[in-house]
């Protein structure tokens, strides 16, 4: 690879949703954009989170100058504990983003060694040969930025997650002017969020939910339970404003809801009127028509506050007949079953549930740009080259078509994780591939990877069950002492008949082995495993995990 080109190396987020991470390299200097995670798929048993393989960064650790964060969602900051445990470099983010990062790093005992540096929208700073300019964008979270990075070959722009909202509830609208000025200055490469590329038109602004929510607050006669993503600070603020307007006190229930609201209050994004917030313990003493409960658990998480309240198992959140529960959020693909389980339980409590009632008006809006906003951004920046980011292969493909359709980029390229893009002032090309992939982090940890073999074993156990054969052998003679003990788990057969059959198989295996073989317990264990596997498959057609245990006496 030429040393006189700018290299773009995506390590995650191109070809999947989540795990966003991208390296930008000029000679001996690398900056990283975002450090996200993705949540495990159903077959990743016992896995807590999935993070990108950062072999490329660890192999070039002396060149990495820092990590730039576009915003504070988990798919952009959730992999930081893993990455910083391997590669302790400065982390740059806006005030709200870094506050979320601090809590995450403190939880994993990494905060004391972390170097967190605040960046301000509109204020540029130097990082090696790069000049970084954060630009204010709007999203479903507050304090989000796109990144304009001036490099020796030209300016590249990474949008992060965005939509164009000119009436954001926090008073910080999308900075159209700065993007237009950047376009006049000249943009070499635009890397743009592909999440909603399959949606025509414009994404509604956050205030678009206000009329319908106002109607719900006005018409609700008893308790109102309101659930949304705890990171949706705009939505939480709107709910508080409406509660105040309609004479309701607000109780916060759920750790994530409580933490996010506390941070937003500390940083001035939420400023509830005096006396609006009450402790959850006061709910039982309040008239039902005078309370609004902001509760976490919008995705039906099993131990969330809403899930427990739905089965009448929460200390303070009691949902009764006639209460209203509003889901002001989207269903994340894969979460349909737990969400509808919670909704079923709410109906059993005779609650009124509003999640997607088909009536006029919106109770939730997306935080990502639709097709017309994507085209508007391209028209503002007028980039020479274009790469779609953040999405499955189908989203990236469609996004290339949208970009080409504007007639502006000279070249639009579909890129996947690991592909190395070399960029000069007059060319863009793929020149190689680096190692990428998914690192599976075990439950209860953010820094301990799980080997693929362990996941295979867990899957094998979940599908086939376990057969444990405990065999006692005389160390001197190599003969069995007593009948083997057979233990089965998750293996539905006639246990007594199967145990008899397996004991006979073990006896035959040992008796047919030479004295020398019997004295080598590692060898005899493998022979027993092989013979038991053959016998079980012949008798039942099943393939459980088989574990012979040899006890020598």
């Amino acid at each position: 690879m030429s040393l006189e080109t700018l290299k773009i190396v995506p390590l995650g987020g191109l070809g999947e949703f989540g795990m966003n991470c991208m390296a930008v390299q000029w000679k001996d200097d690398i900056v990283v954009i975002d450090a996200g995670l993705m949540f495990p798929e159903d077959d990743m048993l016992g896995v807590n989170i999935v993070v990108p393989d950062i072999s490329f960064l660890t192999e070039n650790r002396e060149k990495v100058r820092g990590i730039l964060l576009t915003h504070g969602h988990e798919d952009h900051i959730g992999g930081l504990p893993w990455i910083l445990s391997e590669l302790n470099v400065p982390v740059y983010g806006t005030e709200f983003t870094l506050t979320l990062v601090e809590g995450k790093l403190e939880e994993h005992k990494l905060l004391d060694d972390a170097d967190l540096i605040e960046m301000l929208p509109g204020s540029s700073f130097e990082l090696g040969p790069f000049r970084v300019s954060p630009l204010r964008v709007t999203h479903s979270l507050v304090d989000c930025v796109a990144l304009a990075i001036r490099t020796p070959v030209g300016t590249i722009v990474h949008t992060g997650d965005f939509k164009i909202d000119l009436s954001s509830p926090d008073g910080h609208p999308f900075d159209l002017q700065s993007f237009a000025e950047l376009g006049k200055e000249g943009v070499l490469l635009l890397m743009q969020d592909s999440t909603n590329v399959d949606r025509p038109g414009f994404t509604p602004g956050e205030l678009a939910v206000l009329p319908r929510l106002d109607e719900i607050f006005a018409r609700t006669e008893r308790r109102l339970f309101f659930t949304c993503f705890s990171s949706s600070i705009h939505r939480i603020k709107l709910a508080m404003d409406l509660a105040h307007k309609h004479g309701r006190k607000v109780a916060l229930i759920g750790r994530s809801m409580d933490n996010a609201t506390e941070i937003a209050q500390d940083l001035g994004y939420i400023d509830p009127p005096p006396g609006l917030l009450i402790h959850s313990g006061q709910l039982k003493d309040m008239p039902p028509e005078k309370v609004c409960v902001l509760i976490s658990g919008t995705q039906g998480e099993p131990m969330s506050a809403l899930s427990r309240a739905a089965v009448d198992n929460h200390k303070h959140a009691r949902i009764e007949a006639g209460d209203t529960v509003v889901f002001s959020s989207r269903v994340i693909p894969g979460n349909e079953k737990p969400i509808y389980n919670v909704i079923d339980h709410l109906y059993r409590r005779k609650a009124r549930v509003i999640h997607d009632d088909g009536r006029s008006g919106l109770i939730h809006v997306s935080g990502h740009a639709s097709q017309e906003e994507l085209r508007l951004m391209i028209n503002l920046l007028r980039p020479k080259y274009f790469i779609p980011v953040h999405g499955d292969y189908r989203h990236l493909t469609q996004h290339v078509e949208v970009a080409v359709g504007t007639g502006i980029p000279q070249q639009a390229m579909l890129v996947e994780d690991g592909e190395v893009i070399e960029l000069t002032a007059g060319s863009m090309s793929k020149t190689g591939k680096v190692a990428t992939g998914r690192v599976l982090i075990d439950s209860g940890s953010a820094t301990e990877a799980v080997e693929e073999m362990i996941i295979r074993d867990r899957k094998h156990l979940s599908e086939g069950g376990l057969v444990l054969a405990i065999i006692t052998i005389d160390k001197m003679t190599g003969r069995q002492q007593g009948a083997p003990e057979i233990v089965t788990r998750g293996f539905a057969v006639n246990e007594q008949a199967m145990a008899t059959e397996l004991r006979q198989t073990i006896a035959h295996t040992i008796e047919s082995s030479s004295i020398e073989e019997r004295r080598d317990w590692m060898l005899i264990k493998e022979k027993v495993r092989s013979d038991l596997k053959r016998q079980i498959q012949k008798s039942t057609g099943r393939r459980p995990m088989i574990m012979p245990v040899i006890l020598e006496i």
Side-chain angles (χ1 to χ4, degrees), residues 354-416:
I354 302 173
H355 58 102
D356 185 11
D357 57 4
R359 295 184 56 177
S360 60
L362 298 166
I363 60 172
H364 173 68
V365 290
S366 173
H368 298 272
S370 298
Q371 287 179 7
E372 291 307 315
E373 290 155 280
L374 299 175
R375 292 188 179 101
L376 176 56
M377 175 78 88
I378 294 171
N379 275 279
L380 279 174
L381 294 176
R382 306 194 69 79
K384 181 181 285 188
Y385 303 118
F386 179 88
I387 294 174
V389 296
H390 306 169
D392 293 333
Y393 193 87
R394 60 191 171 91
H395 295 88
L396 304 182
T397 302
Q398 192 170 348
H399 204 168
V400 167
E401 294 171 0
V402 168
V404 169
T406 65
I408 292 174
Q410 292 180 14
Q411 185 181 357
M413 183 179 288
L414 194 155
V415 180
E416 292 187 89

Side-chain angles (χ1 to χ4, degrees), residues 154-435:
T155 299
I156 65 173
V157 176
H158 190 293
T159 66
D161 287 352
F162 82 99
K163 67 177 179 181
I164 298 177
D165 189 349
L166 301 181
S167 58
S168 180
D170 63 2
H172 297 294
F174 187 93
D175 190 356
L176 274 176
Q177 183 178 346
S178 291
F179 281 94
E181 290 172 356
L182 199 59
K184 291 177 184 176
E185 179 187 311
V187 172
L188 181 64
L189 170 67
L190 171 61
M191 295 176 282
Q192 191 179 48
D193 174 21
S194 304
T195 306
N196 275 358
V197 70
D198 54 355
R199 298 189 186 183
F202 289 86
T203 300
E206 289 296 314
L207 291 178
V209 301
L210 190 55
R212 177 72 176 111
L213 292 182
D214 191 17
E215 177 192 354
I216 292 170
F217 272 77
R219 294 190 177 186
T220 298
E221 296 178 355
R222 285 181 52 84
R223 293 182 192 85
L224 176 58
F225 290 82
F226 187 94
T227 184
C228 64
F229 295 113
S230 59
S231 61
S232 297
I233 304 302
H234 300 309
R235 202 72 46 80
I236 293 171
K237 181 181 186 303
L238 287 179
M240 287 186 177
D241 291 344
L242 288 171
H244 181 60
K245 174 182 174 181
H246 293 280
R248 291 176 180 269
K249 300 293 186 183
V250 174
L252 302 171
I253 293 185
R255 189 178 70 166
S256 62
M257 183 69 72
D258 213 19
N259 290 347
T261 305
E262 183 180 352
I263 292 171
Q265 283 184 263
D266 290 343
L267 299 181
Y269 288 98
I270 294 177
D271 186 18
L276 179 69
L277 297 180
I278 61 172
H279 187 271
S280 54
Q282 297 175 255
L283 285 172
K284 63 181 182 299
D285 303 320
M286 299 286 295
E289 69 276 7
K290 293 294 183 183
V291 296
C292 171
V293 179
L294 300 187
I295 188 167
S296 59
T298 187
Q299 295 301 299
E301 300 92 331
M303 291 306 293
S304 68
L306 182 58
S307 292
R308 286 184 285 136
V311 293
D312 201 19
N313 188 29
H314 194 282
K315 184 177 180 181
H316 301 300
R318 300 293 301 275
I319 298 175
E320 299 174 355
D323 291 345
T324 296
V325 183
V326 179
F327 285 76
S328 183
S329 59
R330 71 183 179 95
V331 176
I332 294 177
N335 289 351
E336 293 88 352
K337 183 167 181 165
I339 291 173
Y340 288 114
N341 279 344
V342 169
I343 291 173
D344 276 353
H345 288 303
L346 292 171
Y347 273 106
R348 290 178 190 277
R349 314 227 80 73
K350 302 293 190 290
R352 175 188 176 214
V353 181
I354 302 173
H355 58 102
D356 185 11
D357 57 4
R359 295 184 56 177
S360 60
L362 298 166
I363 60 172
H364 173 68
V365 290
S366 173
H368 298 272
S370 298
Q371 287 179 7
E372 291 307 315
E373 290 155 280
L374 299 175
R375 292 188 179 101
L376 176 56
M377 175 78 88
I378 294 171
N379 275 279
L380 279 174
L381 294 176
R382 306 194 69 79
K384 181 181 285 188
Y385 303 118
F386 179 88
I387 294 174
V389 296
H390 306 169
D392 293 333
Y393 193 87
R394 60 191 171 91
H395 295 88
L396 304 182
T397 302
Q398 192 170 348
H399 204 168
V400 167
E401 294 171 0
V402 168
V404 169
T406 65
I408 292 174
Q410 292 180 14
Q411 185 181 357
M413 183 179 288
L414 194 155
V415 180
E416 292 187 89
D417 294 345
E419 293 184 325
V420 179
I421 306 303
E422 291 203 24
L423 202 62
T424 69
S427 68
M428 177 173 69
S429 59
K430 295 181 185 179
T431 58
K433 198 166 176 62
V434 302

Side-chain angles (χ1 to χ4, degrees), residues 27-48:
K27 296 184 178 178
D28 290 332
D29 295 278
I30 296 173
V31 293
V32 181
I33 300 173
D34 287 331
L37 59 72
M38 64 188 296
F39 292 103
E41 296 165 4
D42 291 341
D43 60 352
M44 297 178 182
L45 304 175
V47 172
N48 188 29

Side-chain angles (χ1 to χ4, degrees), residues 329-544:
S329 59
R330 71 183 179 95
V331 176
I332 294 177
N335 289 351
E336 293 88 352
K337 183 167 181 165
I339 291 173
Y340 288 114
N341 279 344
V342 169
I343 291 173
D344 276 353
H345 288 303
L346 292 171
Y347 273 106
R348 290 178 190 277
R349 314 227 80 73
K350 302 293 190 290
R352 175 188 176 214
V353 181
I354 302 173
H355 58 102
D356 185 11
D357 57 4
R359 295 184 56 177
S360 60
L362 298 166
I363 60 172
H364 173 68
V365 290
S366 173
H368 298 272
S370 298
Q371 287 179 7
E372 291 307 315
E373 290 155 280
L374 299 175
R375 292 188 179 101
L376 176 56
M377 175 78 88
I378 294 171
N379 275 279
L380 279 174
L381 294 176
R382 306 194 69 79
K384 181 181 285 188
Y385 303 118
F386 179 88
I387 294 174
V389 296
H390 306 169
D392 293 333
Y393 193 87
R394 60 191 171 91
H395 295 88
L396 304 182
T397 302
Q398 192 170 348
H399 204 168
V400 167
E401 294 171 0
V402 168
V404 169
T406 65
I408 292 174
Q410 292 180 14
Q411 185 181 357
M413 183 179 288
L414 194 155
V415 180
E416 292 187 89
D417 294 345
E419 293 184 325
V420 179
I421 306 303
E422 291 203 24
L423 202 62
T424 69
S427 68
M428 177 173 69
S429 59
K430 295 181 185 179
T431 58
K433 198 166 176 62
V434 302
T436 55
R438 300 176 178 184
V439 177
L440 311 181
I441 304 297
D442 214 347
S443 296
S445 170
T447 57
E448 293 184 15
V450 188
E451 296 293 334
E452 188 68 33
M453 182 178 67
I454 294 175
I455 301 299
R456 283 202 306 271
D457 285 350
R458 289 174 180 172
K459 191 173 181 183
H460 192 173
L461 282 168
S462 73
E463 294 173 349
L466 171 71
V467 173
L468 188 67
I470 303 171
I471 308 162
T472 305
I473 293 181
D474 187 307
K475 187 175 182 179
M476 301 304 296
T477 65
R479 295 188 179 279
Q480 266 196 94
Q481 297 296 306
E485 182 180 352
I486 305 296
V487 180
T488 64
R489 291 290 183 270
F491 184 54
V493 293
N494 184 327
E495 195 169 333
Q496 189 172 353
M498 176 58 67
T500 301
E501 198 174 287
L502 296 185
R503 287 190 184 102
Q504 291 172 352
T505 300
I506 292 168
H508 179 268
T509 301
I510 294 173
E511 288 168 8
S512 63
S513 300
S514 67
I515 294 177
E516 188 176 3
E517 285 176 325
R518 291 180 202 166
R519 289 175 177 171
D520 185 342
W521 66 270
M522 289 288 288
L523 175 61
I524 206 71
K525 188 162 82 168
E526 201 52 50
K527 288 186 71 175
V528 167
R529 179 190 285 113
S530 178
D531 288 351
L532 289 179
K533 177 182 176 182
R534 190 180 302 110
Q535 179 61 38
I536 291 171
Q537 195 165 1
K538 178 182 175 183
S539 300
T540 68
R542 301 279 299 281
R543 299 183 64 182

Side-chain angles (χ1 to χ4, degrees), residues 113-135:
D113 295 327
D115 184 10
L116 305 181
I117 303 168
E118 184 181 348
M119 58 184 185
L120 299 170
S123 297
S124 301
F125 59 95
E126 307 289 338
L127 195 55
F130 307 109
R131 184 169 179 77
V132 181
S133 300
L135 304 174

